[in-house]
Amino acid sequence: MQSRLKIYNSLSKVKENFEAINPPHVGMYVCGPTVYSDVHLGNVRTFLSFDIIYRYLMHLGFKVRYVRNITDVGHLTDDSDDGEDKIGKKARLENLEPMEIVQKYTNGFRKVMQQFNILEPSIEPSATGHILEQISLIEKLLENGLAYETGGSVYFDVNKYNEKHNYGKLSGRIIEDLIAGFRDLDGQDEKRNKADFALWKKAVKGHIMKWPSPWGIGFPGWHLECSVMSTKYLGDTFDIHGGGMDLKFPHHECEIAQCVGANGKDPVKYWIHTNMLTVNGQKMSKSLNNSFLPEELFSGNHSLLDQPYSPMTVRFFMLQSHYSSTLDFSNDALKAAAKGYKKLINGLSICHDLKYTSSEDETPSEQQQSQVDQIIANCYHAMNDDFNTARTIAQLFNLLKKINSISTGQLSGGQLGKEHFDKLIITFKTFVQDILGLLEEKPVDFESFLHILLEVYAEAKNNRQYDKVDEIRTRLKALGIVVKDMKDKIGWAYEE
Ligand code: AMP
Ligand code: ZN
């Protein structure tokens, strides 16, 4: 039996202690974006952290069903049970259909995920696609006496729930403190208790996103969608649920209460929360005006940025810290990350070219072999220790030292032996590309390269080095490029 504490701890000692409910299958649910605006870099950090977890579990041989939702209704501007729907508000301001807003920002979100090489989830369900299921869950809670209807809205009865269960066990909050801390907001007078939260809200005049329900026209509370979609696709109890730390309360606390209240089962075995990306120590957030968009980062076009930074530089920068620590954005740290990233990528290109060679009289060195074994084991220890990418990267630099030594001839392939040589190369490539998801970014485009080559061509022609001129022509032709040697300039065209 799992102890309660372990259930609500993050996932430590992954390889040794992680117990999937139905091995080798793992169900993982991550709260996705609310699609009413562009994702900022803080959001990216959270989705990147779960991308690493997804990739590493797959690397370990688990078959992961990764569900990451799209919140397209029910997230109110106040984050409590008050205010306007974030998407509805944007639609009203821009005079668009809410689903146009949803489509626009979902597309934008997916594009950013691709730019950072964050893998697509297995299922990407949306809240508006699951209204019926949400209504069913509310009905169950009403049946179980844990919810009440008032004036066309339905609220979860936290006090009632607390008679048998423990509201606050995830976030460590105590219900009396919660009640004392609540501000008076609209709708509070409908609630029996200030800590109660909305399952269904009656649509007031002018509210755009609304559906019929047994309680009249309205819309679901924000916490409901995740309870419904996680259990629909992963079962009443599933392995991993994640999101940013700011979602621990009230969002995830409410999710637990809804699931336990409806199904009688704890929905989640392991909760994982990522810490915040900060700017000068403050959470990066749109409302604080200290956030920047990925596009601003790639162009360097923002007052906080000294220069542009590429997606993989940013990816590397984020992986240099553990997901549960805060990470402060700084230009210096990003510049250092750019160097670190390039070192690893140079290592990859060495790996692509490096061939195993050994002279006949060479015998492998046990010391060298055990050093390689140790570094490889350290890479796994680091990832197994709650996905510690920071320590993993440090170990990859140790592997890289060995690779560089072979490349420069200080260490010979024969000193490692074929098996260890292969292990070294494969482990390095696998960790950099598949587990950390770092792609090689081409620093210059094709045209810039061609331009340089055509300058060399022109120079050779001026110096009457016709052999060289012919060779460049021939070799480019073989690649489908024709040199256009015109009177006053040299250009190129695709071979027709
Ligand atoms: P939202 O679309 O605002 O609900 O956020 C999507 C995800 O990004 C949630 O899991 C948030 O917790 C997370 N998030 C928001 N701001 C930050 C930040 N500054 N650093 C890390 N994660 C964040
Ligand atoms: Zn959620």
Side-chain angles (χ1 to χ4, degrees):
M1 257 304 265
Q2 296 270 320
S3 72
R4 278 226 173 283
L5 203 68
K6 189 168 170 202
I7 294 173
Y8 292 107
N9 263 343
S10 68
L11 215 170
S12 62
K13 298 286 171 234
V14 181
K15 209 167 177 181
E16 292 88 349
N17 288 354
F18 174 56
E19 293 166 32
I21 294 167
N22 296 307
H25 297 269
V26 169
M28 175 161 96
Y29 185 91
V30 171
C31 291
T34 306
V35 282
Y36 72 104
S37 64
D38 293 311
V39 273
H40 61 66
L41 211 59
N43 305 132
V44 172
R45 182 186 190 204
T46 286
F47 298 121
L48 170 61
S49 303
F50 289 102
D51 184 52
I52 295 292
I53 293 171
Y54 182 36
R55 285 168 179 272
Y56 188 58
L57 290 175
M58 288 197 290
H59 173 75
L60 293 183
F62 290 104
K63 296 184 186 342
V64 187
R65 182 180 290 170
Y66 176 19
V67 183
R68 190 183 63 207
N69 69 304
I70 296 284
T71 295
D72 57 357
V73 69
H75 199 165
L76 303 185
T77 44
D78 195 88
D79 266 0
S80 151
D81 291 331
D82 199 30
E84 218 176 333
D85 185 290
K86 289 185 179 184
I87 291 156
K89 181 177 177 188
K90 189 85 172 203
R92 179 175 59 75
L93 292 176
E94 296 195 9
N95 207 11
L96 290 172
E97 163 64 31
M99 281 302 134
E100 286 181 283
I101 299 290
V102 165
Q103 193 64 52
K104 176 177 167 187
Y105 292 108
T106 303
N107 291 347
F109 169 69
R110 290 190 186 134
K111 183 177 161 205
V112 169
M113 294 298 101
Q114 255 180 15
Q115 283 169 320
F116 286 99
N117 197 26
I118 293 173
L119 297 176
E120 287 167 5
S122 336
I123 306 178
E124 198 178 45
S126 69
T128 56
H130 296 77
I131 298 290
L132 289 179
E133 289 91 335
Q134 295 185 69
I135 290 175
S136 297
L137 187 77
I138 300 172
E139 284 175 329
K140 256 199 209 172
L141 290 169
L142 283 164
E143 260 170 52
N144 294 351
L146 293 168
Y148 55 92
E149 191 218 329
T150 164
S153 294
V154 184
Y155 294 96
F156 188 91
D157 191 337
V158 171
N159 267 344
K160 194 80 209 289
Y161 175 80
N162 235 17
E163 287 172 8
K164 287 204 184 127
H165 308 285
N166 176 8
Y167 183 80
K169 67 180 171 185
L170 177 68
S171 56
R173 307 223 180 177
I174 297 169
I175 190 155
E176 288 75 20
D177 298 348
L178 286 174
I179 295 167
F182 272 105
R183 287 174 294 142
D184 282 326
L185 296 165
D186 279 1
Q188 294 286 26
D189 48 347
E190 287 187 340
K191 295 182 184 179
R192 290 184 188 162
N193 181 321
K194 284 185 182 176
D196 293 352
F197 55 90
L199 297 168
W200 189 264
K201 287 278 282 182
K202 178 190 165 115
V204 293
K205 199 166 174 275
H207 193 98
I208 318 174
M209 303 182 80
K210 54 194 172 192
W211 290 262
S213 81
W215 317 285
I217 306 278
F219 58 95
W222 170 39
H223 315 306
L224 204 57
E225 57 167 298
C226 290
S227 286
V228 160
M229 295 189 280
S230 59
T231 53
K232 170 166 177 165
Y233 297 111
L234 301 174
D236 284 352
T237 300
F238 56 94
D239 299 289
I240 298 174
H241 190 320
M245 286 229 315
D246 53 343
L247 298 187
K248 212 180 212 181
F249 188 87
H251 187 53
H252 292 157
E253 198 68 65
C254 295
E255 271 188 51
I256 295 173
Q258 291 167 157
C259 288
V260 172
N263 308 322
K265 289 183 194 157
D266 259 310
V268 177
K269 202 165 162 197
Y270 300 93
W271 283 94
I272 299 186
H273 289 100
T274 55
N275 213 324
M276 297 290 110
L277 179 69
T278 57
V279 183
N280 297 322
Q282 253 191 335
K283 174 187 166 184
M284 180 179 283
S285 142
K286 237 160 278 155
S287 53
L288 292 171
N289 260 338
N290 65 353
S291 66
F292 31 78
L293 306 177
E295 282 308 330
E296 292 169 328
L297 199 77
F298 307 152
S299 66
N301 204 357
H302 190 284
S303 56
L304 282 166
L305 300 170
D306 288 357
Q307 59 171 75
Y309 301 101
S310 75
M312 288 301 118
T313 294
V314 179
R315 190 170 170 114
F316 182 89
F317 160 71
M318 291 185 176
L319 296 178
Q320 277 180 309
S321 73
H322 188 253
Y323 73 79
S324 66
S325 327
T326 52
L327 171 64
D328 201 46
F329 169 85
S330 86
N331 280 286
D332 287 347
L334 270 163
K335 285 174 199 165
K339 287 192 180 152
Y341 159 71
K342 281 179 197 150
K343 266 192 193 154
L344 284 188
I345 294 304
N346 283 339
L348 272 188
S349 76
I350 294 173
C351 286
H352 293 322
D353 296 339
L354 214 55
K355 298 271 176 300
Y356 177 76
T357 52
S358 132
S359 51
E360 268 180 21
D361 54 346
E362 224 171 9
T363 49
S365 143
E366 273 183 28
Q367 194 199 5
Q368 286 294 340
Q369 290 184 333
S370 79
Q371 281 175 4
V372 167
D373 285 338
Q374 188 58 54
I375 306 171
I376 293 174
N378 290 345
C379 289
Y380 281 97
H381 284 156
M383 282 306 285
N384 291 340
D385 187 4
D386 203 8
F387 311 96
N388 197 322
T389 49
R391 275 181 28 222
T392 306
I393 287 176
Q395 293 303 329
L396 289 180
F397 280 116
N398 289 336
L399 281 186
L400 183 57
K401 274 188 207 147
K402 292 278 174 217
I403 293 167
N404 281 332
S405 303
I406 300 174
S407 165
T408 55
Q410 282 165 287
L411 180 67
S412 70
Q415 276 175 283
L416 285 184
K418 177 86 168 88
E419 192 191 323
H420 278 77
F421 174 89
D422 287 346
K423 244 202 281 190
L424 171 68
I425 303 292
I426 288 169
T427 307
F428 184 78
K429 280 166 67 171
T430 304
F431 268 80
V432 173
Q433 294 176 313
D434 301 345
I435 298 174
L436 298 185
L438 291 166
L439 290 177
E440 185 181 342
E441 279 168 342
K442 304 265 182 277
V444 276
D445 62 326
F446 155 80
E447 281 202 43
S448 313
F449 262 123
L450 203 54
H451 190 71
I452 295 172
L453 203 58
L454 293 182
E455 276 176 14
V456 173
Y457 177 98
E459 203 179 308
K461 196 177 151 202
N462 280 343
N463 297 338
R464 297 173 195 279
Q465 295 170 289
Y466 295 117
D467 286 353
K468 199 167 175 182
V469 166
D470 285 346
E471 191 189 343
I472 294 175
R473 267 184 171 284
T474 314
R475 291 181 71 172
L476 280 178
K477 190 148 188 280
L479 297 173
I481 303 290
V482 186
V483 177
K484 294 272 183 193
D485 200 336
M486 294 167 278
K487 218 177 177 182
D488 49 353
K489 67 173 183 181
I490 290 166
W492 66 275
Y494 297 110
E495 191 183 17
E496 289 165 14

